[in-house]
Amino acid sequence: MYKTLTLFLMVLLMTNPAFGTDIKIYTLDECIKTGIENNLQMKSSNYDKLLSEEEIEKFVSQYDLFIKLDLVKSDSEFSMINPQSGSEREICQIIMGLGKKFSLSGGVLSLEWLNQATESDATPQLGDPTYDSSIRLAYVQPLARNFLGVNDKRALEIAGMNKKIVALAYDYQKLFLTNQIEKIMISLDLAGKNLKAQNSYLERVKKILETNRRKFKDGLVEEVDIIASESRVNILSASILPGENSIISSEENLKQLIGLPLDEECRFDISLHPVIDHKEISPQEIIKKAFAENPQLKVLETAIEIKKLYAENMKNEALPMIDLVAQVGVENTSSAISDNYDAIFSADHPSWYIGLNMKLFPWNKAAKSELRASDHELEKSALALQEQKLEIKAGCLALARELKAQAKYIIAARQSLELEEKKLKLEKKKYARGRSSIQWILEYENDMNNAQTELYKAIADYHILEADLRLIIGEIN
């Protein structure tokens, strides 16, 4: 019978899906790594980085070589006979060209090859159809607005700074995620230790209850001791349930945070060292490091630089448009295509011109308004930076004080626990000699359990303060 039962249990275990399954254990570092890879906000921030790179590519592309091809056919009729073009005219036109904008000068160089066939009832001596061909090399150089391509360069520089801001925002998102993961795991460790302490206390109370029941039969204790023990067992059994539910909820929150399925079987392992190695850092050092490394400050500082560049662009946009235009080429018109090309390639009919294209804006209210708005935005950003620095400074000072105070509190909590343990030990000796009651034992057991819980909480609070300090100074553990 025994062998049959053993065999049945072995088969049951081996056919159980959970049998032999390795449950993944996540440490703090693994949770952080998994969160950075899977957290939805981190993925969204990563797409922002990709979009900022594409924005830079868009500005760089303005300096790419471009190819031009125009195919045109037109047919016109006139109500009056025009001696130059006739009353009817049909044009077929092909224009091919290349062009490039230069970052150094901001000018545009273009090469254009035009081929045009014209049929009309004009004067017969021109032939029908006639062919026009030309090759022209032109250059347009801004002399006022966007001189030497300053606006184009600033726009590219602004796009680069926007990419930096996106990268800093990504870094801060990673820091904030790490901070959240650390705090949840610290809370899990605290809840686990508290639950373990409660279960341990419950087991001790149950043993005392069993002992008292035996002693009651022998007439060694009063019935009130039995009632007190049973009441304490019931209260403790009920108080454990919220702690268990709290742990389950925290684990689900952590899974959601790091991008794990809620039904995934896994365990989270973090064990805070019971001894705190507190090294006091001066508030000035913390503030200095925060001002140098905090991503939020860097974002505001970079935003100010962007607004300065934008303001310079607005000043430039207020200038008139004055472009130097220079063009050289060769062209010809004849009744035969071959004659046309011979004249073109032998440069029989050269042409050139040089001139200024000007566009003035007497009031230019839009550009002036944009310039004033950019100045206001710059001043507003400077105030935001100042406010952020004040908040960070206040946060650093508070954290430095709280860490120092919490380190002292841990020492006091540990001493309190030692005293409670000593008090309980002495009371048990009194109880063994018949000089105390079980009520006092239970009371001192509860006091020791509370002191243990308080020590766990003090250590957890210290580690949470450390996590907040790393967040404010921009440092990942």
Side-chain angles (χ1 to χ4, degrees):
M1 180 68 181
Y2 174 77
K3 290 182 179 179
T4 303
L5 182 59
T6 304
L7 181 61
F8 173 78
L9 290 174
M10 290 179 64
V11 171
L12 182 63
L13 287 172
M14 292 178 68
T15 54
N16 191 332
F19 181 78
T21 303
D22 292 331
I23 296 179
K24 173 71 175 175
I25 299 175
Y26 286 89
T27 63
L28 174 60
D29 290 340
E30 288 171 331
C31 282
I32 293 172
K33 180 181 178 183
T34 305
I36 291 172
E37 292 174 353
N38 298 332
N39 180 269
L40 295 180
Q41 289 184 339
M42 291 301 301
K43 287 184 176 181
S44 177
S45 297
N46 193 53
Y47 278 112
D48 289 337
K49 291 171 66 177
L50 296 175
L51 289 171
S52 67
E53 292 174 1
E54 295 301 329
E55 190 70 15
I56 291 177
E57 191 66 23
K58 182 180 75 174
F59 283 102
V60 171
S61 66
Q62 67 181 314
Y63 301 114
D64 291 344
L65 180 72
F66 63 85
I67 299 174
K68 176 182 178 181
L69 177 62
D70 293 339
L71 303 175
V72 179
K73 182 177 181 180
S74 63
D75 195 349
S76 306
E77 293 185 6
F78 303 93
S79 58
M80 295 179 63
I81 298 177
N82 188 321
Q84 299 297 323
S85 59
S87 60
E88 294 183 5
R89 183 175 57 192
E90 183 179 283
I91 298 175
C92 293
Q93 190 179 74
I94 300 176
I95 302 174
M96 296 178 287
L98 299 173
K100 179 173 175 55
K101 189 175 187 178
F102 296 96
S103 60
L104 186 63
S105 64
V108 177
L109 179 68
S110 60
L111 177 65
E112 188 175 274
W113 182 13
L114 178 142
N115 294 276
Q116 177 176 305
T118 305
E119 293 186 21
S120 71
D121 55 357
T123 52
Q125 62 267 25
L126 293 177
D128 193 9
T130 59
Y131 297 97
D132 296 276
S133 299
S134 65
I135 296 178
R136 297 170 183 172
L137 182 66
Y139 183 74
V140 179
Q141 174 62 51
L143 298 179
R145 182 184 296 186
N146 200 29
F147 179 61
L148 298 181
V150 291
N151 280 9
D152 298 332
K153 293 170 186 175
R154 287 196 195 103
L156 182 58
E157 191 175 355
I158 288 172
M161 288 188 174
N162 281 326
K163 179 183 176 182
K164 181 181 177 181
I165 285 180
V166 170
L168 288 169
Y170 179 86
D171 291 341
Y172 181 76
Q173 185 66 38
K174 185 162 62 174
L175 279 170
F176 186 72
L177 175 65
T178 300
N179 179 267
Q180 288 181 298
I181 292 171
E182 284 184 299
K183 286 183 176 180
I184 292 179
M185 293 199 74
I186 289 169
S187 299
L188 274 173
D189 181 72
L190 173 62
K193 286 178 177 176
N194 286 340
L195 187 61
K196 184 178 179 181
Q198 284 180 301
N199 281 318
S200 178
Y201 179 38
L202 177 60
E203 290 303 315
R204 292 197 301 270
V205 173
K206 285 180 178 179
K207 288 180 181 178
I208 291 174
L209 175 60
E210 293 301 319
T211 301
N212 285 341
R213 282 173 176 167
R214 289 194 300 269
K215 288 185 178 182
F216 178 72
K217 290 179 181 180
D218 298 335
L220 298 176
V221 297
E222 300 292 332
E223 185 177 3
V224 67
D225 292 326
I226 301 294
I227 295 173
S229 298
E230 288 178 343
S231 176
R232 187 58 58 90
V233 167
N234 290 336
I235 292 172
L236 288 174
S237 298
S239 66
I240 285 174
L241 295 176
E244 291 175 343
N245 289 334
S246 176
I247 290 175
I248 294 172
S249 296
S250 295
E251 288 180 342
E252 289 176 346
N253 290 338
L254 185 55
K255 287 179 182 178
Q256 187 175 2
L257 192 62
I258 65 177
L260 294 180
L262 294 180
D263 57 353
E264 179 171 330
E265 291 291 333
C266 62
R267 287 198 300 110
F268 299 102
D269 178 35
I270 178 171
S271 183
L272 302 178
H273 201 280
V275 179
I276 298 298
D277 183 20
H278 177 70
K279 296 178 181 178
E280 192 168 338
I281 307 174
S282 71
Q284 289 71 26
E285 290 181 14
I286 297 175
I287 293 169
K288 182 180 179 181
K289 189 166 186 179
F291 281 2
E293 301 297 334
N294 184 280
Q296 288 179 306
L297 275 184
K298 289 184 178 180
V299 166
L300 289 174
E301 290 167 351
T302 307
I304 288 176
E305 294 302 316
I306 288 176
K307 286 179 171 58
K308 287 179 179 177
L309 289 174
Y310 186 75
E312 291 298 320
N313 258 14
M314 290 302 100
K315 290 179 183 177
N316 191 272
E317 287 293 324
L319 297 176
M321 292 180 63
I322 305 175
D323 295 338
L324 172 67
V325 181
Q327 178 177 295
V328 295
V330 288
E331 55 188 52
N332 191 54
T333 300
S334 67
S335 59
I337 296 178
S338 58
D339 294 340
N340 236 17
Y341 288 163
D342 288 342
I344 291 292
F345 293 121
S346 60
D348 289 340
H349 307 287
S351 65
W352 64 272
Y353 76 81
I354 187 168
L356 290 176
N357 291 343
M358 302 179 64
K359 186 183 289 186
L360 304 178
F361 307 89
W363 294 277
N364 207 2
K365 293 181 180 179
K368 291 177 181 178
S369 177
E370 287 281 354
L371 180 57
R372 289 193 299 271
S374 66
D375 289 338
H376 297 330
E377 287 288 341
L378 186 58
E379 293 166 1
K380 182 179 176 182
S381 297
L383 291 175
L385 177 62
Q386 185 180 355
E387 182 181 11
Q388 187 68 30
K389 282 188 173 182
L390 289 173
E391 289 181 7
I392 288 176
K393 185 176 181 179
C396 290
L397 292 173
L399 283 170
R401 286 194 307 270
E402 290 171 8
L403 278 168
K404 184 177 180 180
Q406 195 66 24
K408 292 180 178 179
Y409 184 74
I410 289 171
I411 295 172
R414 185 170 283 111
Q415 291 173 345
S416 177
L417 175 60
E418 292 171 356
L419 290 172
E420 293 296 339
E421 290 173 342
K422 185 177 181 180
K423 184 177 74 172
L424 177 61
K425 186 177 180 181
L426 292 173
E427 195 65 25
K428 284 182 176 179
K429 287 181 180 180
K430 288 172 62 178
Y431 178 75
R433 295 170 187 164
R435 295 170 54 195
S436 181
S437 70
I438 194 61
Q439 289 178 321
W440 288 110
I441 296 294
L442 291 174
E443 191 68 32
Y444 290 169
E445 285 269 6
N446 188 48
D447 290 343
M448 188 191 72
N449 188 65
N450 289 338
Q452 181 70 72
T453 299
E454 191 62 28
L455 177 60
Y456 291 154
K457 184 177 183 304
I459 293 172
D461 287 344
Y462 183 89
H463 286 292
I464 287 174
L465 288 171
E466 281 188 318
D468 286 339
L469 179 63
R470 286 191 290 273
L471 176 65
I472 203 168
I473 65 175
E475 180 183 284
I476 291 182
N477 188 12

